[in-house]
Amino acid sequence: MSAFRPALCAAFAAGLLLAAPAAEARFGKRSSGTSDDTGAKKIHAATPIRSSSQDDAPSDTPPPSGDDDDCCDTAPASSPPSYSAHAYGEAVLAGEELLTAALAASHAQALREQRPSPPLDVRLGLNVGAMGGGTAGDVFLGIEGEALGFSIQGTQLTLPTDDGTRGTDDIRLATMHLTYAPVSTDRVRWRLEGGLSTAHAPDVFFVGPSVATSLEVCVAGPLDLEARVQGTAGTYRQVDASAGLALHLGALNVRGGVRGLILDDAGRVDGIQHVDSFVGPYAGVGLAF
């Protein structure tokens, strides 16, 4: 599968966000009235080794004649090795095998210690932007190896109240994901993510399962294209999509782009579905090492 397909998905998701209807009421906040007049929308074997013995060669010379005692002068045949000598030889062979195995294990351990560990990449940063007539700020941290890692991101939304009263509505979002990169080269890195997300609104606190995908593609020199789409379903619904450019100045990164966000409390606050949709620009700085 082409590595640019996730970027197309991110662009498609951003298009959906841009086309999303305006929010009818504040996400996670009780409505000021629940009647229909308020205009609120209701949603319902090896061969053994053996030693050979030499047979006594027959003699062509007949035995000398004489007394029977002369037969005793003949040298007796050599006797087989004793059991103790055989055991000693086996012990020596076993010792040699153990020594060889120990040396091989020591050599393998030395090679493992000399082999360099895969490097860890650390990414952290801060983004700020305008969203929904208010402001949005988020911080993120990612630590990953050649393929596996984890990431944490938190977002603070400070929005004007939806009913015209004085003050602001604060919504805090967070995601905690394990990450896996099926594509990781010098120019392209595509991640799949999964974990949990939370949303803390004025009158409710949600926790739900979360999945995401992100893509970084080197466009030219130090300039990268970045895109990310995250979604939550279950207790509440969330779609968070962003796309932008990042300029790498050594360990320092400067980025900017557009972000869209949809939040839906599924009527779990007061029986009325509250949906907020926001789109706005963002800019930020980060470090990568």
Side-chain angles (χ1 to χ4, degrees):
M1 180 175 61
S2 172
F4 290 91
R5 183 171 298 177
L8 295 178
C9 295
F12 179 71
L16 292 179
L17 291 169
L18 293 171
E24 298 193 11
R26 176 67 67 232
F27 165 81
K29 183 178 179 182
R30 298 184 184 278
S31 302
S32 58
T34 58
S35 64
D36 293 338
D37 295 336
T38 61
K41 181 180 178 181
K42 295 188 178 180
I43 308 293
H44 299 284
T47 303
I49 300 175
R50 57 184 180 181
S51 60
S52 61
S53 62
Q54 296 180 351
D55 297 335
D56 294 338
S59 176
D60 296 335
T61 304
S65 60
D67 296 335
D68 294 338
D69 293 339
D70 293 341
C71 296
C72 297
D73 297 336
T74 304
S78 59
S79 60
S82 65
Y83 174 78
S84 59
H86 179 74
Y88 175 77
E90 293 291 337
V92 170
L93 290 176
E96 290 178 353
E97 292 178 356
L98 289 175
L99 181 60
T100 302
L103 291 175
S106 176
H107 181 65
Q109 178 66 24
L111 290 178
R112 285 194 296 268
E113 292 176 354
Q114 294 175 1
R115 185 179 303 145
S117 301
L120 289 178
D121 293 332
V122 179
R123 300 174 295 112
L124 55 91
L126 169 67
N127 295 335
V128 294
M131 187 169 283
T135 61
D138 65 271
V139 294
F140 61 88
L141 169 66
I143 300 178
E144 55 190 352
E146 185 176 353
L148 299 176
F150 71 91
S151 66
I152 301 173
Q153 179 172 332
T155 299
Q156 170 79 36
L157 297 174
T158 303
L159 307 169
T161 59
D162 62 318
D163 55 7
T165 59
R166 297 182 59 183
T168 58
D169 288 335
D170 294 335
I171 300 176
R172 291 182 290 276
L173 310 174
T175 59
M176 293 151 283
H177 287 169
L178 295 177
T179 66
Y180 169 67
V183 177
S184 178
T185 68
D186 293 338
R187 300 183 61 86
V188 178
R189 189 169 184 89
W190 172 39
R191 301 181 189 88
L192 300 175
E193 307 179 20
L196 295 175
S197 66
T198 65
H200 190 181
D203 293 321
V204 70
F205 178 78
F206 290 118
V207 179
S210 173
V211 295
T213 183
S214 62
L215 178 68
E216 297 174 6
V217 180
C218 179
V219 178
L223 189 63
D224 283 3
L225 169 66
E226 298 181 336
R228 184 175 186 269
V229 179
Q230 179 268 335
T232 299
T235 55
Y236 75 108
R237 296 152 195 168
Q238 173 178 307
V239 177
D240 189 351
S242 61
L245 298 174
L247 181 63
H248 297 265
L249 305 174
L252 178 66
N253 300 330
V254 180
R255 56 175 47 86
V258 178
R259 181 181 183 184
L261 182 63
I262 296 176
L263 297 171
D264 181 357
D265 63 14
R268 296 182 180 274
V269 180
D270 55 4
I272 299 175
Q273 183 180 17
H274 304 280
V275 182
D276 274 326
S277 60
F278 312 108
V279 177
Y282 72 88
V285 295
L287 294 174
F289 50 88

